[in-house]
Amino acid sequence: MTQRVTQSMLNTQLLRNLNSNMNRMDNLQNQLATGRRINKPSDDPVGISFSLRYRSELAANDQYQRNVDSSVSWLDYTDTMLDQVGQVMQRARELAVLGSNGTNSEESLNSVKIEIDQLADQMFTIANSNFNGKYVFNGQKTDVKPYPELATAADVEVNKGPIQFEIGVGVKLTINKTGDEVFGEGDTSIFKILSDMSESLGKKNYSAIQASIGKIDESMNNLLAMRADIGAKTNRIQLAEDRLKDIGINLQSLQSKTEDADMSIVITNLKMNENVYQASLSAGSKLIQPTLIDFLR
C-alpha cells in the first residue's frame, strides 16, 4: 500500500533537516571561535577524560617547577651565606697566625682582639640570616631566630629538622643546612673558637692562640664539604628542571592534539555546511510555495 505524503510531513521534514544543518554550523562556529575541538563533555566523552588527565599532570608538573625554583633560590642564598662564613673564618685564621707571634706588642694584640670580636659579631649576624622572611639555619622552625644572643650562641640547640622540596613524583630533596652543621655546637662551635681566641689574646696566651688555628682549619674543611654538597644538589636540581621542562612540552603537545581544533578542517566544513544550508533553504522555498489557492485552480 502506497503511503500518502502530506504537505505537513514535507514541512516537518524540511524543518528537521534545516535544524540539523544549523546545529552542525553552530558547533563548527563554536570551534572556530574558541579554537578548541572539545568545548563540552558531550563533544568527545573519551577525549575529555584524556584532556582532564593531561591538565592534572600539567598542574602537578608546574608545581614541581615552582618547587625547583624555590629550591635553587634557597640553595643559592645558603651558599652565599657559607661563602661569607668562609671569609670571616679565613680572616680569623690570619689574625690567629698574627696573634700567635710572641713579638707582638700589647697594643697590637689588643687591636687583633678587637677585630676578632667584630668578626664574632659578623658571624652572629650571618647565623641569623633571613631569606624571604625565613631563618635559613634553624631547621624547620624558620619563623624562630636560631641564635638569640652572641654570648650563648655556642650552647644553643637549633632545630635540626630538614626542609624538603618535592622536585618530581616521589622525589624529595633536603635543601637546608642547620646551624649545628654550619657553626658547630659546644666546644667545636665557631662562636666558642672566636670567643676563646679573643680571651687568649687578652691574656697573651700564645699557645692557646696557636691551638685555635687548627680548630679554625677543621671548621673551614667542614664548610668546604657543605658547599660541595650544595653544589652537587644544585646540579641535580638543574637536571630535574630540564626534565620537567621536557615533560611539560610533551604534555602540552598531547593536550593540544586532544583539545585543539584543526582550523583548516573547521573552516572547510563550515563553508560546506553553509552551502548545504543555503541549498536546503532554496529547495525548501520551492517545496512550501503552494498555497490553498494553488490547489483550487
Side-chain angles (χ1 to χ4, degrees), residues 34-254:
T34 61
R36 296 164 58 85
R37 184 177 65 84
I38 303 176
N39 291 289
K40 54 183 182 294
S42 59
D43 290 339
D44 187 352
V46 176
I48 197 68
S49 65
F50 281 101
S51 176
L52 292 174
R53 188 178 69 185
Y54 295 146
R55 291 187 183 188
S56 176
E57 292 179 357
L58 274 171
N61 195 69
D62 289 342
Q63 182 60 57
Y64 291 141
Q65 291 194 43
R66 287 193 291 271
N67 290 348
V68 162
D69 292 338
S70 298
S71 300
V72 171
S73 297
W74 189 287
L75 287 172
D76 286 346
Y77 184 81
T78 301
D79 186 59
T80 300
M81 293 301 101
L82 294 183
D83 179 60
Q84 292 183 12
V85 172
Q87 292 178 26
V88 172
M89 295 303 291
Q90 180 61 39
R91 180 55 183 164
R93 190 184 190 283
E94 293 173 0
L95 292 174
V97 173
L98 178 63
S100 63
N101 188 342
T103 61
N104 286 305
S105 64
E106 185 174 350
E107 290 77 10
S108 297
L109 290 177
N110 188 51
S111 297
V112 173
K113 181 182 185 303
I114 291 173
E115 187 170 353
I116 287 294
D117 292 338
Q118 290 298 316
L119 291 178
D121 288 338
Q122 178 61 21
M123 192 68 74
F124 178 72
T125 301
I126 297 171
N128 288 315
S129 296
N130 188 297
F131 178 65
N132 286 339
K134 298 178 180 179
Y135 292 103
V136 296
F137 295 121
N138 201 28
Q140 294 178 348
K141 292 186 176 181
T142 56
D143 58 335
V144 179
K145 191 175 182 179
Y147 298 99
E149 296 179 5
L150 176 58
T152 59
D155 300 320
V156 170
E157 290 186 9
V158 298
N159 184 272
K160 298 178 176 61
I163 296 177
Q164 295 182 322
F165 280 96
E166 191 168 1
I167 59 174
V169 181
V171 180
K172 293 184 178 181
L173 191 65
T174 301
I175 53 91
N176 69 315
K177 294 295 182 183
T178 58
D180 63 308
E181 293 178 303
V182 178
F183 305 100
E185 291 179 305
D187 292 337
T188 62
S189 169
I190 290 176
F191 300 109
K192 177 67 172 174
I193 294 172
L194 294 177
S195 176
D196 289 347
M197 186 176 168
S198 176
E199 183 179 350
S200 300
L201 286 165
K203 295 179 179 180
K204 299 182 182 180
N205 187 343
Y206 296 109
S207 60
I209 297 172
Q210 182 68 36
S212 66
I213 297 175
K215 295 179 181 179
I216 291 174
D217 287 341
E218 290 179 6
S219 296
M220 292 182 68
N221 289 336
N222 177 60
L223 191 65
L224 290 174
M226 282 187 290
R227 295 195 67 183
D229 181 61
I230 288 177
K233 287 181 178 179
T234 301
N235 290 336
R236 180 183 177 185
I237 289 176
Q238 289 174 346
L239 292 174
E241 183 179 18
D242 292 339
R243 178 174 177 271
L244 290 172
K245 288 180 179 178
D246 291 340
I247 291 175
I249 293 172
N250 184 44
L251 289 172
Q252 288 173 358
S253 176
L254 292 172

